[in-house]
Structure formats: C-alpha cells, structure tokens
C-alpha cells in the first residue's frame, strides 16, 4: 500500500488531482466488487439448484455430521477442516 502523502506539502491542484485519482480508483474497485457479487450470486444459485435436485431425488442434503460441524464452529470448538472430537 502506498504511503499517504504529506498533505501540507501539496498544492491545491495536487490535492484536487489526488482526490480525482482516488475517486476514479474507488469507482473501479466498486465496479469490480459488483461483478464479483454477481458471480457469487450465480454460483450460489447453482449450488441451491443442485442441492434442491438432490433433495427431490431422496438424497440427504444436510447430514448429522454437517450439523455437528456447524455446531462446533458456532461454539468455537472447530479448527481447520478437522472434525472436532469431544
């Protein structure tokens, strides 16, 4: 990350230019964030559709192990990808 400039040493025009530069950078980042969120939404929708089809086919979608893993995570007992043992 770039260091922040000494604001007292910048002219008014340099301050305006820096504001413009950072504003343009923020717009670019915001656009990329929206694109990523759209991709995430598409991927989640696909996962939900797959899980729905599995469920409709009689397959278990969420197992007892999944529930236990979530319980351990929420209780702060889980570390990494290993199942918690108690």
């Amino acid at each position: 990350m770039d260091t922040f400039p000494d604001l007292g040493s910048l002219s008014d025009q340099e301050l305006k230019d820096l504001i413009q530069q950072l504003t343009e950078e923020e717009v670019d980042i915001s656009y990329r964030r929206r694109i990523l969120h759209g991709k995430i939404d598409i991927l989640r929708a696909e996962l939900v559709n797959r899980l729905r089809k599995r469920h409709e086919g009689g397959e278990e979608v969420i197992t007892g192990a999944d529930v236990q893993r979530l319980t351990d995570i929420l209780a702060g007992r889980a570390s990494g990808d290993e199942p918690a043992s108690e």
Side-chain angles (χ1 to χ4, degrees), residues 13-73:
Q13 186 58 50
E14 289 171 325
L15 282 172
K16 290 176 185 178
D17 292 343
L18 185 55
I19 290 168
Q20 180 64 35
Q21 175 190 344
L22 294 176
T23 300
E24 289 171 4
E25 186 177 339
E26 191 276 333
V27 167
D28 291 341
I29 290 170
S30 180
Y31 173 77
R32 288 188 56 209
R33 182 188 56 78
R34 289 191 308 272
I35 294 295
L36 289 171
H37 278 246
K39 288 179 179 181
I40 290 167
D41 289 344
I42 291 167
L43 293 171
R44 284 184 178 153
E46 176 63 21
L47 181 58
V48 166
N49 285 333
R50 289 181 185 189
L51 292 173
R52 183 176 295 122
K53 286 178 184 176
R54 287 183 191 158
H55 178 69
E56 289 170 355
E59 192 176 328
E60 260 189 51
V61 177
I62 298 175
T63 66
D66 294 327
V67 174
Q68 184 59 51
R69 177 81 174 122
L70 180 57
T71 301
D72 290 341
I73 290 169

